Amino acid sequence: MTSTPTAPTRTPSPVETGTGRSVGRPLDRVDGTAKTTGAARYAAEHPHPGLAHAALVHAAVTRGRITGIDAAGAEAVPGVLAVITHENAPAMKPPPPVSVLNLSSLASGSSVNYLNTDEVHWNGQPVAVVVAETPEAARHAAGLVRVSYRELPATVDFAAEEGNAVPQKSSALQSGGARKGDAEAALAAAPVSVDLRFTTPPYHHNAIEPHATTAVWDGDRLTVHEGTQNITWLRDHLALRFGVPVRNVRVVAPYVGGAFGGKTMVWAGTVLTVLAARVTGRPVRMALTREGVYRTVGGRTPSAQRVALGARADGTLTALIHTSVTQTGRTGGLPEQATSQSRHLYAAENILLRQNLVELDAVPNTPMRAPGESIGTFALESAVDELACALGLDPIELRMRNEPERNPVDGKRFAHRMLREAYALGAERFGWSGRTPEPGSMRDGGWLVGLGVASAYHPSWQMPANVTVRLSADGSVVVRCGFHEMGMGGATAQAQIAADALGVPFEAVRVEYGDSDLPSGPGAGGSAQTASVAASLLAACEKLKGSLLALARRSGGSPLRGRRPGDLEARDGGLWAGPAGPGETYAAILARAGRDSAEAAVGSDTRVGKVTGQLRFMSKLLRDRRRWVKAACGAHFCEVRVDPDTGEVRVSRWLGVFDVGRVVNAKMVASQLRGGIVMGIGMALSEETLVDPRNGRIMNPGLADYHVPVHADVPPIDVHCLDVPDPTMPLGLLGVGEVSVTGVAAAIANAVRHATGRRVRDLPVTPDKLL
Amino acid sequence: MRPFSYVSAPDVATALRAVADDPGAKFLGGGTNLVDLMRAGIEQPDTVVDITSLPLAEIGERPDGGVRIGALVRNSRLAAHPLIRARYPVLSQAVLAGASAQLRNMATVGGNLLQRTRCPYFYDRTAACNKREPGSGCGAIGGFNRGHAVLGVSGACIAAHPSDMCVALAALDAVVEVESVRGVRRVPMASFHRPPGETPHVETDLSPDELVTAVELPPSPTAANSRYRKVRDRASYAFALVSVAAALEVRDGTVTGVGLALGGVATTPWRARRAEHALLGAPATEESFRRAAEAELAPATGLPGNAFKIEMARRAVTATLRRLLTEGSPA
Ligand SMILES: Cc1cc2nc3c(=O)[nH]c(=O)nc-3n(C[C@H](O)[C@H](O)[C@H](O)COP(=O)(O)OP(=O)(O)OC[C@H]3O[C@@H](n4cnc5c(N)ncnc54)[C@H](O)[C@@H]3O)c2cc1C
Ligand code: SF4
């Protein structure tokens, strides 16, 4: 660890010091029973009287204008209520231009104003919606809509376009390039160097719940059930597109069946379900088919990357060059920050980072678990491993020799960094010293065995969150915040935090979330949700204890009279002056004051409140980013077996040691981290979206042909967290959602290199690449 | 999915008549392939004749020591049956290498024989495909063809036959019994599936109104020493890149009996006659195995996406025979 920031001056509460009774415990998730018994209702499971069903018609050309639509066949299908096309759809306001002052302007997945235009921008773009009494009738009729087009030339081949890439801009939320010294010259002069090209294919999220929307209009009030990762964005976006006040739109999303970034933006299916409900005057549900998700929701961009490293004979890095080309869609998509981790991981004397973009006529790409670092670490960490081979150095040793004291590109301080500790512990637990370095030197029967390592890295973020906390005379606590539960256990974690902050049992806390009627929460993205909500929740709990103390001090007879907040400890359902000192329960305070409950709020959902909140957020963000580099990191250790006859790779053992700051719930954190590793195994070995370079059409839009890992592909995964709080983040939390997917593909490729002597630089590592 | 009518046939005669009278009718086995194709709009039957109630779900020993498998035996039961496991381990292994447990519980032997290719252009109605729409062209030849065939291909179609079970049946010299209103006939596996030639939409020797009633396995001492090797992109639940069904009998170091077939690499379940020919009477050595594999793959033609299969198949054949020689059938 390097420098330690100054500690807060007031006495830390038990929740902050981790001495409370709930935080840290591996409690079962509060929604576990509802989910495992099927009682939990997802977006496509809300019954409504008179519900109609919608299905999409997708463009069969890549770019062009619609010249005619023949809906007669579809309209003749019994049960069909409407065939909505650009010829008859009511006007919607176009998606707004993006502005950092209004983060919800980022919400639109694409700038296309669906069914308000005859333009087709990608193969599969929705060009009509059919609404019918049953989903079967809607889907059948959708297949009967005949659309004719005038085709226009389209650019769809990523590999062919690579040479036309242009530099990518950076923003407050995204890092761009960087330059320190003259890396190319240092590379040329380095006694030992590697200069490698890597490619990664497009990937898709494949959340277990395909996107689904249920939309109900009541006059100009709209209720939407949708598995979204960003309730606020969705609400604001729909209000704008349909020209109704924001307060008229309610988004309900208590359960999200996985998302991984794919449900962050607002995509066609959502907007068109709302439109269909408006046109037909009926509640409408649209549950996309898996193919529908592939055709209308973006995935991860493909990439081509160069990593060149120069070193002295002792392994000291003199040059680090990382450049990338990724894609966006012509109508949207967030540029991928593929070189992000290369700003932070190695103390190279000279650094050159550059990110380039091509624009294609494709469904816009969108964030997918660790956008940037997931694919960027593959290239960087593979190259570092190759350099270790070239130097004849152990790959962990090479990393440790280049572990920076300060952020390599700009000398900023690390708020916290324990990569050394992660490797040291991992090496011991994994038995790294038993690895013989020679490629092909380890065998098990007919299998070649390889061991590999790679670093994981993901920046830590904190977003604004509005929270209220109410404590009732019966001792129960309700936390309200419109955050998102996609399976990571947010409600459980926040209940644990509130319980310790107030000194009440975990069971006494109920958390309300997943509804735009609640105080607005942060989006579920950037691994920031838990820390963001925790920050406001802790502040709200402090406020609440303050007002309870004020109540006590005002009323005669309270043992807390004359006490100051700093003297008191929240425990046993009340406030007490030290472990043995006098005090009383919250119930007693409320009873004496003749109150049923007390409440505290942080943040405001008024218009002014929201604008100030966002301004405060942006300025804090910029201030913070100037001072500190904050991130979760970790060390992956893996063992693979390779069949020397066929090139098949099977992962046989995994250990990840992570520095994610404080662990709120060991069980849920381990699940999150394991899930990321499983996703990384897919990315490394089998997943790949096949985009036909002739017309940009996705050719494997389903789980039979897009190969996510199955159980037999996943070995026992051991995860370990260092569990040391970060001093600059709320509760010391660094975020666990994404870090573990980073580095996985490199660890596997490195292990394959060790097993076979072959360096695979193009993902996925399929058997044909090892023949 | 296009609306259709559904009938459940109580006996074989009713099933045969239902299909003979209606050219738009199709038999429904487990439905794991047909229903998917109907959802995608590739198959659009007017009538679906459910045959799962027909009394064709028995596995029994034949007087000659062979085994008769009813067409409606579910894949899981076939794989688990003691007679199959003892006498034809390659068949049990091949079936278990296919699909997932849930699918195998539904899938029938007849349906497995008649399952259609997984070529993605065949499944996508916006793409050109001679098999789906004769004369429209072939999307795969200039497109993605990593999963496609290198043997038995034509300029019209290179779709691989997807079945694992059929590869084992080919190696075992199985015979398919079929029945129609015109009577019963027996078709050897070798001529049951047809290479695409200029008519890739014609996939088998069957007429649309013929029902598969059983598969017969001849007695085979060689088959007791057999195994199935499937090379695929993930450990389970993926179609074969290359698969090998092999049965081997060796006496005094010489190959005295062999049955060999390949999957994943050919337009039909591929009986490896050239390799068998090279092996019979040859010394049971790595060298002979490799030479046999090379002989079999000599006529193979690959495209940039699938040429790797030629070398992969050579290696898989060699490795499977080596393993049979040293370890015998799987436990
Ligand atoms: C995701 C997925 C993965 C799969 N993976 C594999 C794999 O790895 N390996 C593999 O081998 N297979 C695989 N399969 C395919 C599976 O084996 C077949 O779908 C199954 O065997 C078909 O049997 P069924 O009884 O369900 O046939 P159905 O779907 O009922 O019928 C298929 C066809 O056969 C016809 N038919 C059925 N029975 C008869 C009969 N008795 N006589 C005449 N015609 C008949 C039907 O009319 C139809 O045309 C996979 C399938 C899926 C969906
Ligand atoms: S390979 Fe055959 S099935 Fe595939 S597109 Fe070509 S013709 Fe159709």
Side-chain angles (χ1 to χ4, degrees), chain B residues 183-302:
Chain B
V184 177
R185 63 187 188 108
R186 314 178 112 68
V187 188
M189 266 308 273
S191 48
F192 187 83
H193 295 94
R194 290 210 189 151
E198 290 312 303
T199 53
H201 58 289
V202 183
E203 295 171 348
T204 66
D205 189 49
L206 229 56
S207 308
D209 67 344
E210 280 181 313
L211 175 75
V212 174
T213 47
V215 170
E216 290 175 358
L217 297 174
S220 161
T222 314
N225 186 45
S226 63
R227 56 166 66 231
Y228 190 71
R229 174 72 165 97
K230 181 174 180 182
V231 184
R232 47 185 150 175
D233 280 329
R234 60 182 171 191
S236 162
Y237 199 26
F239 287 92
L241 292 169
V242 168
S243 71
V244 181
L248 185 69
E249 192 180 50
V250 175
R251 279 205 208 113
D252 304 327
T254 301
V255 176
T256 51
V258 62
L260 197 67
L262 304 181
V265 289
T267 51
T268 56
W270 191 261
R271 180 70 184 266
R273 299 246 183 237
R274 289 165 180 249
E276 288 179 0
H277 185 75
L279 282 167
L280 258 186
T285 60
E286 177 92 9
E287 171 65 20
S288 312
F289 298 161
R290 177 84 201 168
R291 236 176 307 124
E294 272 161 14
E296 193 60 48
L297 273 302
T301 51

Side-chain angles (χ1 to χ4, degrees), chain A residues 50-71:
Chain A
L51 188 68
H53 300 265
L56 296 176
V57 179
H58 302 278
V61 301
T62 308
R63 195 169 153 255
R65 308 296 280 264
I66 301 169
T67 52
I69 295 190
D70 176 1

Side-chain angles (χ1 to χ4, degrees), chain A residues 560 563-572 574-583:
Chain A
L560 292 170
R563 298 283 174 179
R564 304 159 64 78
D567 309 336
L568 299 177
E569 198 175 281
R571 63 173 160 83
D572 302 326
L575 294 170
W576 313 86

Side-chain angles (χ1 to χ4, degrees), chain A residues 342-374:
Chain A
S342 306
R343 308 167 75 85
H344 312 296
L345 275 176
Y346 297 103
E349 289 161 15
N350 299 279
I351 298 178
L352 174 65
L353 309 177
R354 202 186 295 136
Q355 300 176 147
N356 295 299
L357 268 186
V358 294
E359 249 183 29
L360 298 185
D361 297 301
V363 56
N365 65 299
T366 204
M368 174 166 162
R369 208 169 196 170
E373 295 85 11
S374 51

Side-chain angles (χ1 to χ4, degrees), chain B residues 82-101:
Chain B
L83 272 178
I84 303 297
R85 289 174 45 147
R87 295 188 194 171
Y88 310 95
V90 64
L91 177 57
S92 173
Q93 248 195 321
V95 170
L96 288 177
S100 65

Side-chain angles (χ1 to χ4, degrees), chain A residues 216-222 244 248 278:
Chain A
V216 188
W217 284 100
D218 175 9
D220 64 352
R221 299 189 153 270
L222 171 67
V244 297
N248 282 16
R278 177 147 254 192

Side-chain angles (χ1 to χ4, degrees), chain A residues 8 24 59 219 344 479 612 721:
Chain A
H344 312 296
V479 174
T612 20
C721 293

